[in-house]
Amino acid sequence: MALTNFYFVNQTTNVARQRAIAAFMWLGLGASSLFLFFFNPALPHNPVFPKCPFRLVTGWQCPGCGSTRAFYQLLHLHPVAAFKLNPLIMLTLPFIVYGFLGFTRSAITGKPYRRLFIPPFYLWTWLVLLLFFWVFRNTPWYPFAS
């Protein structure tokens, strides 16, 4: 399947509302990044960061386990350590950043937001990858040893 199946769908939006949403997203991202930069979530008795409810109940790691610690390492310019903590979030992060920057560009320029349509095949592939990661990160086999 070629990448030519991707196409954009123009969305009409309220520009003032879109700018407000983008501003709040940037402020929230900045505040949470600043907070995460100074408070290490890997410390054993850190009351600030909640424990994963799935891990508390089952003892297994969910696909998101390690994401906060990975972002902490990424903020401290340790991408390899971040990848080791949660490879799935590190592989998904460029797509999240792309969408975030596209939304912000649209808010600044006032042009309609072009939403990328991704064919179902790619979304199902990502879901299978997510399930594979979820299962095998809870095995004793390298590199998924939990």
Side-chain angles (χ1 to χ4, degrees), residues 15-137:
V15 176
R17 180 175 181 264
Q18 191 173 2
R19 286 183 181 158
I21 291 170
F24 281 120
M25 286 183 353
W26 277 105
L27 286 172
L29 181 66
S32 59
S33 296
L34 189 65
F35 182 79
L36 188 58
F37 185 82
F38 290 110
F39 295 100
N40 187 352
L43 294 177
H45 298 291
N46 195 338
V48 178
F49 298 98
K51 304 293 182 210
C52 173
F54 182 80
R55 187 159 188 174
L56 286 174
V57 171
T58 65
W60 296 336
Q61 294 185 29
C62 75
C65 281
S67 296
T68 308
R69 291 175 286 145
F71 285 130
Y72 176 84
Q73 292 298 329
L74 200 58
L75 286 172
H76 288 272
L77 304 177
H78 302 291
V80 175
F83 186 81
K84 287 180 181 178
L85 287 167
N86 193 323
L88 187 64
I89 195 69
M90 297 306 294
L91 294 174
T92 306
L93 192 59
F95 300 103
I96 296 169
V97 169
Y98 174 78
F100 184 69
L101 291 177
F103 183 83
T104 303
R105 180 192 57 80
S106 174
I108 291 171
T109 62
K111 293 180 181 176
Y113 178 61
R114 294 183 349 153
R115 201 170 277 187
L116 179 64
F117 174 78
I118 302 172
F121 172 78
Y122 295 102
L123 298 175
W124 283 108
T125 302
W126 185 85
L127 181 63
V128 168
L129 178 68
L130 174 81
L131 292 173
F132 173 82
F133 178 70
W134 192 350
V135 169
F136 284 99
R137 84 175 310 189

